[in-house]
């Protein structure tokens, strides 16, 4: 009897010792290093991300096989912590790379652990959140490390559109390793402690003789403002994890579900008389579209995606009547709200995310057209603009369009118009729906009359006025039935909520095919 008890104690002690070894990971000194760099450790991050005491860890005792050089220490856990837990009571899967173990580098066992949680996440239909902090492919493991990355990429692609995938870049992310986050739906980057690039500063120096820092090459600011790789930037690890929790709150767990309903106690019949005066009388004057967005959404709560990139278009999540909606709105306060290459890419990808995950789409339109000029044409405005056109057209979720002011030419069609089959198209009385703006139109169709007159300016103004009276309003389109209703701006929220309720049971199916061929 006594021997059995001693044996049991010994087994428990072994388990305790092994778990402690795994949790200790790279040791106290390296954890302190991590703190000195302003970063949290992999476990601290998981604890902040998930609801308290909900983390269930997998593979705490899994070890690597060691590299071909036979040099590195074999760590239990192999430099990544994986498992599942909840965020506000809803299940999520998580992996958190541990920089204290071989620089968080990715070897075979490390990748197998990540693949395991990805596989289960897809099976049960729950989001995957990756906390990346890694020196990349584990050099000692050679081709095994490369193969391991391939397995993760494969799963990222298979999971795309099935469960939401979120990547947080909380340290280095270099080389081919960047492609896993870039396939995922949303990338968060922590300012000053994270960077992403395919080739680092030293290779840049060798190949192009340019001196550049990691921050200037691929820091959070660069990727949030210039490249568009990062959807969100945050000041530190704590804020990053808080923002991920906030994002998860808008999203369904998988493509088989709807987003969580969250009652923000905001009346569905709330009107806002100030909206009647939002659009200036002079149509060349600007205003801030955020005023309209915040006015209509439940509790004025809006989570903007890509807030610093292509600011001429606004994309993000909010709630109407408690249900998550995806908003795509032109921003007249930036570049007059024109559509350019970056704006088309940004909104196109956002629309596809919403469509994949059953999130109704609402467009708020004030668009003077596509950006003219050789920069944009040569940069591919034709194929980039087509992405947004394609994305809205193929979307089968409930789609509502509100034309606030300008809706000119192809950009009008692209922004979720009735002609590409949005479900309901509303317009404010300030809407201007036309092939182009009054000046351009008058100059094209009355060129001879204007320039042969003694007072070209006066004739131009007169022709512009005539054009405005005919086209720069929503009434012609309403007579044709292209606009379902011209509404009072103050009532926009009320109409949107009622329309969403009506569309709630919408079912739409496209033709049988393997997949379409979006102009990527
Ligand atoms: C093995 C690595 C490693 C790696 C870091 N370490 N990166 N071990 N493979 N890729 C180890 C270091 O040897 C060190 O171990 C510990 O992690 C911490 O690294 P430090 O260099 O001391 O830290 P720091 O000064 O903060 O610099 C971090 C770093 C640097 C910038 C990430 O370590 C670095 O440049 N690493 C190599 C990055 C790289 O080129 N990776 C390959 C990218 S290509 P000790 O024991 O001394 O503490 C790639 C291909 C993917 O990933 C392809 C997919 C298809």
């Amino acid at each position: 009897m006594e021997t059995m008890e001693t044996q049991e104690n010994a087994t428990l002690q072994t388990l305790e010792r092994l778990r402690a070894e795994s949790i200790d990971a790279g040791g106290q000194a390296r954890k302190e290093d991590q703190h000195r760099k302003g970063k949290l450790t992999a476990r601290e991050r998981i604890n902040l991300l998930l609801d308290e005491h909900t983390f269930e860890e997998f593979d705490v005792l899994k070890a690597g096989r060691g590299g071909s050089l036979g040099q590195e220490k074999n760590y239990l856990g192999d430099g990544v912590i994986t498992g599942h837990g909840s965020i506000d009571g809803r299940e999520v899967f998580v992996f958190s790379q541990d920089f204290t173990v071989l620089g968080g580098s990715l070897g075979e066992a490390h990748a197998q652990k990540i693949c395991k949680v990805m596989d289960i996440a897809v099976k049960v239909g729950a989001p995957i959140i990756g906390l990346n902090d890694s020196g990349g492919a584990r050099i000692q493991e050679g081709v095994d490390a490369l193969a391991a990355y391939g397995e993760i990429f494969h799963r990222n692609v298979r999971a795309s559109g099935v469960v939401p995938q979120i990547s947080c870049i909380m340290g280095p992310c270099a080389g081919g390793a960047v492609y896993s986050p870039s396939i995922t739906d949303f990338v968060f980057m922590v300012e000053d402690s994270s960077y992403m690039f395919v080739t680092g500063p030293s290779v840049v120096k060798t190949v192009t003789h340019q001196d550049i820092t990691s921050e200037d090459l691929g820091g959070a600011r660069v990727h949030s403002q210039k490249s568009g790789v990062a959807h969100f930037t945050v000041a530190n690890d704590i804020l990053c994890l808080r923002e991920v929790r906030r994002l998860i709150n808008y999203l369904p767990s998988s493509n088989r579900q709807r987003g969580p309903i969250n009652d923000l106690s905001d009346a569905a019949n709330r009107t806002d008389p100030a909206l009647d005066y939002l659009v200036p009388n002079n149509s060349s004057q600007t205003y801030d579209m955020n005023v309209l967005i915040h006015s209509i959404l439940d509790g004025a709560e809006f989570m903007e995606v890509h807030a610093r990139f292509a600011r001429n278009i606004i994309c993000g999540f909010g709630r109407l009547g408690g249900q998550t909606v995806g908003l795509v709105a032109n921003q007249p306060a930036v570049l007059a709200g024109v559509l350019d290459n970056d704006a088309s890419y940004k909104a196109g990808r956002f629309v596809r995310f919403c469509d994949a995950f059953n999130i109704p789409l609402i467009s708020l339109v004030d668009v003077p057209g596509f950006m003219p000029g050789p920069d944009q044409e040569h940069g591919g405005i034709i194929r980039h603009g087509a992405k947004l056109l394609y994305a809205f057209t193929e979307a089968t979720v409930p789609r509502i369009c509100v034309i606030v002011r300008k809706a000119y030419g192809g950009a009008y069609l692209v922004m979720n118009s009735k002609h590409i089959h949005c479900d309901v198209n509303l317009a404010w009385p300030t809407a201007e729906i036309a092939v182009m703006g009054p000046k351009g139109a008058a100059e094209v169709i009355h060129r001879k009359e204007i320039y042969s007159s003694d007072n070209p300016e006066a004739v131009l103004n007169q022709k512009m006025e005539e054009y405005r009276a005919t086209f720069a309003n929503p009434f012609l389109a309403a007579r044709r039935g292209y606009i379902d209703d011209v509404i009072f701006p103050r009532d926009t929220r009320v109409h949107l909520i009622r329309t969403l309720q009506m569309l709630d049971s919408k079912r739409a199916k496209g033709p049988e095919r393997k997949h379409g061929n979006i102009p990527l």
Side-chain angles (χ1 to χ4, degrees):
M1 188 70 178
E2 204 175 291
T3 334
M4 267 176 67
E5 257 176 36
T6 324
Q7 269 173 359
E8 267 171 25
N9 278 344
T11 320
L12 291 177
Q13 277 163 12
T14 308
L15 177 61
E16 225 160 74
R17 180 178 52 76
L18 290 173
R19 291 185 79 92
E21 189 187 319
S22 180
I23 287 166
D24 185 51
Q28 195 52 32
R30 284 197 174 89
K31 286 180 189 167
E32 279 161 20
D33 266 359
Q34 187 84 343
H35 287 158
R36 252 194 303 279
K37 290 178 192 160
K39 303 198 289 183
L40 296 175
T41 65
R43 278 182 194 279
E44 288 167 343
R45 286 168 176 164
I46 287 183
N47 289 340
L48 279 177
L49 175 69
L50 300 177
D51 297 341
E52 224 180 337
H53 307 307
T54 62
F55 182 50
E56 291 282 323
E57 187 168 350
F58 290 152
D59 289 329
V60 71
L61 304 182
K62 187 174 171 84
R65 276 199 287 151
S68 305
L69 300 173
Q71 288 165 343
E72 91 267 31
K73 190 179 160 208
N74 223 331
Y75 289 88
L76 285 185
D78 206 38
V80 66
I81 298 155
T82 60
H84 63 103
S86 65
I87 291 184
D88 292 322
R90 294 162 64 224
E91 207 64 42
V92 298
F93 287 79
V94 61
F95 66 86
S96 179
Q97 292 180 311
D98 186 347
F99 194 81
T100 70
V101 175
L102 299 166
S105 59
L106 185 137
E108 182 190 56
H110 179 123
Q112 283 167 348
K113 287 181 66 173
I114 294 175
C115 290
K116 184 187 277 185
V117 283
M118 293 179 84
D119 288 341
I120 306 181
V122 169
K123 240 187 276 180
V124 305
I128 302 164
I129 301 165
L131 310 181
N132 296 262
D133 188 357
S134 165
R138 192 171 299 157
I139 295 163
Q140 299 90 327
E141 294 202 24
V143 68
D144 291 327
L146 298 181
Y149 265 117
E151 291 297 328
I152 294 174
F153 298 165
H154 180 78
R155 282 166 177 79
N156 284 137
V157 174
R158 301 277 297 177
S160 182
V162 180
V163 294
Q165 299 183 81
I166 296 170
S167 300
C168 300
I169 313 301
M170 309 178 94
C173 185
V178 297
Y179 287 111
S180 172
S182 72
I183 295 169
T184 63
D185 299 303
F186 298 106
V187 175
F188 288 75
M189 284 187 81
V190 180
E191 283 165 16
D192 302 322
S193 61
S194 72
Y195 53 82
M196 296 176 82
F197 37 66
V198 174
T199 48
S202 59
V203 178
V204 171
K205 173 82 178 161
T206 312
V207 177
T208 70
H209 309 293
Q210 271 177 296
D211 282 309
I212 189 157
T213 62
S214 292
E215 182 63 30
D216 288 342
L217 186 61
R221 278 176 209 92
V222 168
H223 285 312
S224 59
Q225 291 169 22
K226 289 190 177 171
S227 72
V229 168
H231 301 84
F232 301 96
T233 51
V234 277
N236 56 48
D237 284 12
I238 297 172
L239 287 176
C240 179
L241 301 162
R242 195 183 295 167
E243 286 299 285
V244 173
R245 287 178 62 93
R246 190 170 153 227
L247 176 61
I248 285 284
N249 248 304
Y250 286 106
L251 310 183
S253 295
S254 77
N255 64 344
R256 300 194 292 268
Q257 295 173 34
R258 305 273 295 269
I261 301 287
N262 195 349
D263 183 0
L264 298 180
S265 307
D266 195 352
N269 61 359
R270 176 174 61 76
T271 60
D272 183 357
L275 289 183
D276 289 350
Y277 306 97
L278 176 65
V279 174
N281 286 333
N282 179 346
S283 93
S284 55
Q285 265 178 9
T286 182
Y287 63 94
D288 185 354
M289 187 60 90
N290 282 303
V291 174
L292 171 57
I293 292 172
H294 287 94
S295 162
I296 57 178
L297 290 175
D298 291 0
E301 284 186 19
F302 181 56
M303 184 158 193
E304 189 171 355
V305 174
H306 260 147
R308 299 182 191 179
F309 177 67
R311 288 171 49 244
N312 36 331
I313 201 156
I314 302 171
C315 299
F317 299 108
R319 288 198 150 85
L320 277 169
Q323 125 167 239
T324 301
V325 292
L327 281 184
V328 178
N330 308 112
Q331 170 56 294
V334 178
L335 297 173
V338 75
L339 283 180
D340 58 9
N341 292 333
D342 286 347
S344 305
Y345 159 76
K346 164 177 164 177
R349 187 152 168 82
F350 180 75
V351 166
R352 293 197 104 211
F353 176 84
C354 291
D355 188 43
F357 289 101
N358 314 315
I359 298 172
L361 281 161
I362 295 170
S363 58
L364 304 173
V365 180
D366 188 345
V367 65
F370 283 100
M371 176 82 108
D375 278 356
Q376 291 292 312
E377 292 289 354
H378 299 174
I381 188 93
I382 297 173
R383 61 192 172 82
H384 292 299
K387 288 175 189 169
L388 183 54
L389 170 60
Y390 193 110
F392 264 131
T393 307
E394 79 168 345
T396 56
V397 288
R399 282 163 51 195
I400 307 173
C401 173
V402 182
I403 301 176
V404 175
R405 186 169 64 174
K406 294 172 189 165
Y408 291 159
Y412 152 59
L413 290 184
V414 163
M415 281 297 296
N416 195 24
S417 66
K418 192 79 174 175
H419 317 292
I420 57 167
H421 295 205
C422 77
D423 297 298
V424 173
N425 197 340
L426 305 172
W428 283 15
T430 41
E432 305 172 11
I433 306 167
V435 172
M436 60 171 80
K439 188 159 187 278
E443 281 180 339
V444 170
I445 53 184
H446 301 292
R447 180 185 300 270
K448 283 192 193 124
E449 201 179 334
I450 295 167
Y451 293 106
S452 62
S453 94
D454 296 339
N455 190 347
E457 205 184 319
V459 181
L460 173 65
N461 283 338
Q462 181 212 333
K463 294 297 174 193
M464 280 168 59
E465 217 29 70
E466 282 171 23
Y467 183 86
R468 234 181 240 121
T470 313
F471 293 110
N473 61 66
F475 303 114
L476 196 61
R479 287 168 79 106
R480 295 273 194 279
Y482 295 144
I483 299 297
D484 297 300
D485 197 8
V486 181
I487 61 172
F488 292 95
R490 71 185 93 118
D491 297 332
T492 307
R493 169 178 164 84
V494 183
H495 287 291
L496 286 174
I497 292 178
R498 278 291 298 120
T499 307
L500 282 169
Q501 286 167 345
M502 179 274 286
L503 290 170
D504 197 58
S505 53
K506 178 184 174 187
R507 295 283 174 274
K509 210 165 176 282
E512 208 53 39
R513 61 182 166 185
K514 185 171 177 192
H515 58 69
N517 190 12
I518 186 167
L520 288 171

